Amino acid sequence: MNAQALMTKIKQYDFTLKELNLYLDTHPNCRRALAMFQKYRKLREDAVKEYNEKFGPITPEQNLNTQRWAWIDDPFPLEV
């Protein structure tokens, strides 16, 4: 998967998590929604990890390179 496709997936997971968050705020005992939240949280976590490993960090604290500050490498995630 290329950087743009993977970033699109991450954004889709972010949107889904935000919507589930809002739903759970008003339905805190809905086990189905909570299970879906956990599922998409894990999918997002895995996608972010894959993006970091293949294309570099999305945020500065995700810099995995111990030899140099890779956050400055082009393109920035917001440009993808």
Side-chain angles (χ1 to χ4, degrees):
M1 190 175 294
N2 67 32
Q4 186 174 11
L6 193 51
M7 183 59 73
T8 297
K9 277 285 185 206
I10 292 168
K11 289 176 183 179
Q12 290 170 343
Y13 295 147
D14 285 341
F15 177 82
T16 302
L17 286 166
K18 185 61 174 173
E19 290 298 309
L20 285 166
N21 177 186
L22 293 171
Y23 180 81
L24 284 164
D25 284 349
T26 59
H27 300 81
N29 297 318
C30 181
R31 290 184 182 181
R32 182 171 175 243
L34 186 55
M36 289 175 61
F37 186 89
Q38 296 303 325
K39 172 187 171 183
Y40 283 98
R41 183 193 55 77
K42 177 69 170 133
L43 287 170
R44 183 192 184 281
E45 181 182 301
D46 292 345
V48 167
K49 181 179 178 189
E50 181 181 350
Y51 189 98
N52 287 338
E53 290 170 353
K54 289 182 176 179
F55 308 110
I58 297 172
T59 60
E61 63 273 2
Q62 294 170 340
N63 182 53
L64 300 176
N65 190 329
T66 59
Q67 302 301 314
R68 65 181 301 279
W69 186 242
W71 173 245
I72 62 169
D73 293 347
D74 288 329
F76 282 111
L78 300 174
E79 297 173 332
V80 174

